[in-house]
Amino acid sequence: MLNRENKTDVIIVGAGPAGIACGITLARAGKEVVIIERGLFAGSKNVFGGAIYTKPTLEIFPNFETEAPVERRNIEHNFAILGEKDSTTITYRKDDNTSYSVIRGKFDRWAAEEARKAGAYIVEETVVRELIKENDKIVGVKTELEEFYADVVILADGVNSLLAKQIGLRKDIQTKDVALSVKEVIKLDKETINQRFRLKDDEGSIVEIFGGPMLGMLGLGFMYTNKDSVTIGLGVTLNELVEEGLRPYDILEKLKQHPTIAPLIEGGTIKEYSAHLIPEGGYKAIPQLCDNGVVIVGDAAMLVNNLHWEGTNLAMISGKLAAETVLEAFEKKDFSKSTLSIYETKLKNSFVLKDMETYKDLMDVMHSRKKAFLSYYMKKINAFFEMFTSVDGVPKKENYHKFIKSIFTDRKISELFKDAWAIIKLLWSILL
Ligand SMILES: Cc1cc2nc3c(=O)[nH]c(=O)nc-3n(C[C@H](O)[C@H](O)[C@H](O)COP(=O)(O)OP(=O)(O)OC[C@H]3O[C@@H](n4cnc5c(N)ncnc54)[C@H](O)[C@@H]3O)c2cc1C
């Protein structure tokens, strides 16, 4: 595929969802694409919860529901607030196909094969060490062994994106802008999973977990059902782990022992343990998205909607929009920053930057009011349901009065005003 000068149309660094979506779109349009992946195979280095979302995935892989190695079709979404020994769970259940649980080692490998079938050339077990810059334009990449040249280089190298840092498009990640996530895959037989999660056949369930051992911290836990395993994990902002001197694995161990969680994984054997960073900085942490000859996509561009646990969809669609921009650049024969910045406009017109912008103030509010929202009120929700479900001979009105009074004795009026103001401000910025 490469001609004598090792020059191709487009080089993509990273064969995750962003890189593959970009590569497959370009290859289908007839461009010569080389995707360079440091892992043994696409997906071998990837850590994930997780669910992929049907609509955006269909945009890239129209055949994935019937042909990709998906695990289960998620029909249930649970939001569990854990107290020390109790919990309150809200469940939304609908028999549809909004998302599927997948194991990235399998799914990414399949997706990479689809890109190969479309004509992309994938080089595995190769690390891109440096970008090559000539006359203020990125013109290629240096791997351990050789140099490759292209009209455009796409950085799809994930959350750390050392390459974006090398060329000054990204600064060092601040510890408040990333969560360290740890997860385990626990093997259980299919019937046990179906019985414990009230599922049948290929149905799957997602549990989002608040509080418990993460009480008061900017952190969330998660569980996903696979065919014959359950993924359990959590992510906590890195600066909190450092400040509190906590090890995420210890928090995960406590989470697994919680009386609401333990029965779901009892008797299972740990198949896999892994850790990874998740971009959490939101809209305000998005870097400059392109420069002469180079475009950044997916996690490398910090495109994650952490409230909704969405990352793969933003990665795939940003990859696709980057590819469409590059195709326009080929038509114009102009790979300058000004032409490649059409990518930013495309992102702004799509759900990707619209959603990121919707939640632009979320992390600031959560950082400033975390003890209130992620500790005090979480405890209060469980306390309310404890009171509401108790049958103790005390007149109900007395219980209600006691509960309401406790809020005013626990928290100063000024704090309650600050909490209410933070919610109003947040809703204002989300809805308007
Ligand atoms: C624990 C966890 C749970 C998650 N759960 C969900 C979920 O349920 N749903 C969801 O949508 N998202 C979820 N996410 C987020 C999602 O995984 C990411 O947003 C998504 O993988 C980003 O895709 P990407 O292609 O940008 O980056 P990645 O998937 O990280 O891919 C980057 C690729 O680049 C390669 N690479 C890096 N540097 C180099 C180099 N120098 N040379 C060559 N190759 C390189 C890597 O090996 C990797 O394959 C989760 C993330 C974590 C950590």
Side-chain angles (χ1 to χ4, degrees):
M1 163 176 269
L2 298 166
N3 66 22
R4 272 172 310 170
E5 297 95 30
N6 267 4
K7 161 97 174 23
T8 187
D9 291 336
V10 183
I11 290 171
I12 299 171
V13 186
I20 291 294
C22 187
I24 206 166
T25 309
L26 287 164
R28 282 172 185 156
K31 291 294 159 214
E32 282 195 345
V33 187
V34 175
I35 305 175
I36 304 176
E37 167 58 47
R38 67 181 171 174
L40 190 59
F41 55 87
S44 63
K45 290 259 179 199
N46 285 328
V47 176
F48 185 59
I52 56 161
Y53 302 95
T54 307
K55 266 197 176 164
T57 308
L58 281 174
E59 281 191 39
I60 316 296
F61 307 104
N63 54 343
F64 96 90
E65 281 181 291
T66 48
E67 292 182 23
V70 294
E71 296 290 308
R72 286 172 183 259
R73 183 173 54 89
N74 294 311
I75 60 141
E76 194 175 279
H77 216 120
N78 299 281
F79 301 87
I81 298 170
L82 306 187
E84 213 169 297
K85 294 262 186 288
D86 54 356
S87 63
T88 305
T89 303
I90 297 173
T91 299
Y92 175 73
R93 193 175 170 108
K94 187 182 176 204
D95 189 1
D96 75 355
N97 63 342
T98 304
S99 73
Y100 289 84
S101 60
V102 298
I103 299 203
R104 288 281 298 276
K106 292 186 201 167
F107 181 82
D108 286 18
R109 206 170 188 177
W110 174 86
E113 273 316 307
E114 292 296 294
R116 273 198 181 103
K117 281 189 216 159
Y121 186 72
I122 304 181
V123 185
E124 282 149 350
E125 286 189 272
T126 305
V127 181
V128 172
R129 297 281 178 209
E130 256 178 69
L131 297 176
I132 307 168
K133 195 171 187 177
E134 277 170 14
N135 303 324
D136 200 31
K137 176 184 180 293
I138 300 303
V139 294
V141 302
K142 271 187 200 169
T143 67
E144 296 114 319
L145 298 176
E146 50 188 326
E147 296 180 353
F148 294 101
Y149 291 87
D151 292 308
V152 185
V153 175
I154 308 285
L155 301 183
D157 51 341
V159 55
N160 286 319
S161 194
L162 300 175
L163 299 170
K165 246 191 290 180
Q166 268 174 23
I167 55 169
L169 287 190
R170 258 184 54 178
K171 301 194 182 91
D172 281 333
I173 300 181
Q174 294 189 34
T175 53
K176 73 169 182 47
D177 288 340
V178 277
L180 179 58
S181 186
V182 290
K183 67 145 212 200
E184 283 179 4
V185 178
I186 299 181
K187 192 159 175 47
L188 282 166
D189 64 70
K190 186 175 176 178
E191 288 67 39
T192 308
I193 295 173
N194 285 356
Q195 184 220 329
R196 289 182 186 174
F197 289 85
R198 300 176 299 121
L199 304 168
K200 61 178 166 39
D201 306 328
D202 69 337
E203 290 173 350
S205 176
I206 301 175
V207 190
E208 292 195 16
I209 306 165
F210 306 82
M214 296 158 296
L215 204 70
M217 286 190 281
L218 268 176
L220 285 179
F222 55 84
M223 289 183 87
Y224 291 86
T225 51
N226 305 314
K227 275 196 175 110
D228 57 1
S229 64
V230 168
T231 302
I232 179 165
L234 56 88
V236 176
T237 325
L238 199 53
N239 66 334
E240 306 219 46
L241 293 171
V242 175
E243 276 164 24
E244 310 279 333
L246 292 167
R247 296 189 320 154
Y249 190 69
D250 295 337
I251 311 175
L252 182 57
E253 270 311 300
K254 281 193 193 146
L255 180 63
K256 283 164 58 188
Q257 285 159 21
H258 190 278
T260 300
I261 305 297
L264 297 172
I265 50 173
E266 196 183 320
T269 45
I270 300 172
K271 248 172 78 175
E272 187 189 310
Y273 170 77
S274 47
H276 204 272
L277 293 177
I278 306 181
E280 294 267 306
Y283 189 72
K284 292 175 186 168
I286 297 174
Q288 185 184 321
L289 292 164
C290 63
D291 207 340
N292 298 323
V294 66
V295 178
I296 313 184
V297 294
D299 274 16
M302 308 291 270
L303 299 176
V304 165
N305 180 343
N306 53 2
L307 182 68
H308 293 264
W309 280 106
E310 292 178 26
T312 50
N313 53 337
L314 282 76
M316 286 184 207
I317 298 304
S318 66
K320 180 179 168 235
L321 295 178
E324 288 170 0
T325 305
V326 169
L327 291 172
E328 289 183 38
F330 271 101
E331 267 172 34
K332 291 187 187 171
K333 295 193 175 47
D334 174 11
F335 306 100
S336 65
K337 181 179 170 186
S338 84
T339 295
L340 294 179
S341 64
I342 295 172
Y343 166 59
E344 197 167 331
T345 312
K346 285 181 188 286
L347 278 180
K348 275 188 185 148
N349 292 333
S350 75
F351 78 93
V352 175
L353 281 191
K354 283 186 181 158
D355 284 354
M356 297 284 295
E357 197 178 4
T358 295
Y359 294 118
K360 66 182 184 307
D361 295 324
L362 176 73
M363 290 312 278
D364 289 344
V365 171
M366 293 315 277
H367 275 288
S368 67
R369 305 305 300 160
K370 65 185 177 206
K371 293 285 176 224
F373 296 151
L374 296 172
S375 177
Y376 179 71
Y377 293 110
M378 295 272 160
K379 284 186 195 158
K380 252 3 219 180
I381 289 171
N382 282 318
F384 174 81
F385 282 104
E386 185 181 11
M387 178 269 291
F388 194 80
T389 54
S390 68
V391 181
D392 52 9
V394 178
K396 302 294 183 210
K397 197 184 269 187
E398 228 173 87
N399 275 339
Y400 285 132
H401 285 175
K402 206 168 138 200
F403 181 80
I404 292 166
K405 200 174 156 204
S406 72
I407 296 177
F408 290 94
T409 45
D410 293 346
R411 285 183 86 65
K412 289 186 194 142
I413 298 275
S414 60
E415 288 299 313
L416 290 171
F417 271 116
K418 280 185 198 162
D419 300 342
W421 182 236
I423 290 174
I424 291 166
K425 259 193 352 194
L426 189 58
L427 287 177
W428 189 272
S429 81
I430 289 173
L431 299 174
L432 295 179

